[in-house]
Amino acid sequence: ETGVTQSPTHLIKTRGQQVTLRCSSQSGHNTVSWYQQALGQGPQFIFQYYREEENGRGNFPPRFSGLQFPNYSSELNVNALELDDSALYLCASSRDTDRVNSPLHFGNGTRLTVT
Amino acid sequence: AQTVTQSQPEMSVQEAETVTLSCTYDTSESDYYLFWYKQPPSRQMILVIRQEAYKQQNATENRFSVNFQKAAKSFSLKISDSQLGDAAMYFCAYRSAYNNNDMRFGAGTRLTVKP
């Protein structure tokens, strides 16, 4: 069973630039959630995708957007990067057959640094 | 809104001893799920244990067990026979049974295991 994989592992961008982060969900999972984890804090929910549609969003501005593809992989796009966007971005996948109780399976994250 | 509080930023334990990590949460909902995740330096969040709020029996997974006090909104994690590999950040998390899109995490507790 293939786990959740994220790319790249590290990324350095300049303020104002745009970035795309990628995630491949675990085999058999069709729901993908993205989280932002600032240094020294717990993860914060950005949004979730289920069957290629956004299925819930946290308190993040519209410059955070996403996509989910037919193979259930996903992208997180951030436009007009700000210094405060520097964080670890975590992708997590889960099954839809028992979504309420389905635990999240996380990738190793992408460390984004904005200078 | 649901919030999760971990009041212990850091804890340490001697190898083979027992340690308890605290977590409290605030919710007006009656049905929800609680989780403990471990985040080692590899950054991947790993599920340690989960508890359904409707179950009175405390969950156990090998050396890991919880003390779930629903009325007090408390969900502590006990690690018995601590091992060096248990050293990590531990996050308590809450997920609503009614809106399962996002999982709310606490700020984490850094556990150090001394040989």
Side-chain angles (χ1 to χ4, degrees):
Chain A
E1 188 176 68
T2 307
V4 178
T5 58
Q6 292 187 243
S7 62
T9 55
H10 295 85
L11 201 53
I12 299 175
K13 288 286 189 177
T14 303
R15 190 171 50 184
Q17 286 187 316
Q18 178 266 345
V19 68
T20 298
L21 310 182
R22 295 180 173 82
C23 171
S24 294
S25 60
Q26 184 165 316
S27 176
H29 290 184
N30 60 9
T31 302
V32 174
S33 302
W34 286 93
Y35 286 80
Q36 180 196 66
Q37 186 178 13
L39 196 62
Q41 297 182 23
Q44 301 237 332
F45 175 68
I46 303 175
F47 44 55
Q48 182 187 82
Y49 277 83
Y50 172 60
R51 293 183 177 175
E52 303 177 56
E53 298 280 339
E54 188 178 289
N55 184 45
R57 188 181 184 92
N59 189 25
F60 280 81
R63 58 189 185 82
F64 284 78
S65 63
L67 283 173
Q68 187 180 33
F69 301 99
N71 66 355
Y72 306 126
S73 66
S74 177
E75 285 182 356
L76 164 65
N77 298 291
V78 187
N79 294 322
L81 283 167
E82 300 177 0
L83 297 179
D84 284 349
D85 295 334
S86 296
L88 179 67
Y89 288 85
L90 295 167
C91 170
S93 71
S94 57
R95 298 179 188 274
D96 73 334
T97 54
D98 186 19
R99 278 194 298 155
V100 174
N101 191 25
S102 181
L104 300 181
H105 296 257
F106 286 85
N108 287 356
T110 294
R111 171 75 65 191
L112 172 65
T113 302
V114 182
T115 62
Chain B
Q2 298 85 20
T3 58
V4 178
T5 302
Q6 293 179 250
S7 59
Q8 306 154 317
E10 296 184 359
M11 291 283 285
S12 69
V13 63
Q14 206 69 36
E15 195 176 5
E17 298 292 307
T18 296
V19 64
T20 298
L21 307 184
S22 301
C23 172
T24 59
Y25 57 94
D26 185 25
T27 185
S28 58
E29 297 176 336
S30 58
D31 199 10
Y32 48 87
Y33 301 87
L34 298 166
F35 303 83
W36 277 98
Y37 277 89
K38 168 186 177 181
Q39 188 177 41
S42 67
R43 308 183 320 200
Q44 184 181 27
M45 299 280 276
I46 301 165
L47 178 66
V48 174
I49 198 166
R50 62 179 167 176
Q51 173 81 41
E52 292 88 346
Y54 61 84
K55 289 186 177 179
Q56 293 186 339
Q57 186 173 6
N58 290 323
T60 61
E61 286 288 342
N62 301 314
R63 298 183 295 107
F64 299 88
S65 61
V66 298
N67 184 4
F68 174 47
Q69 301 289 327
K70 191 172 183 179
K73 296 179 184 174
S74 170
F75 182 60
S76 60
L77 173 69
K78 185 171 84 172
I79 306 174
S80 304
D81 186 25
S82 296
Q83 300 176 359
L84 296 177
D86 294 334
M89 284 292 290
Y90 285 81
F91 292 95
C92 177
Y94 171 102
R95 186 183 223 179
S96 168
Y98 309 103
N99 175 18
N100 65 327
N101 297 329
D102 75 285
M103 188 174 283
R104 302 292 176 98
F105 288 84
T109 296
R110 181 174 300 282
L111 178 66
T112 303
V113 181
K114 298 178 180 178

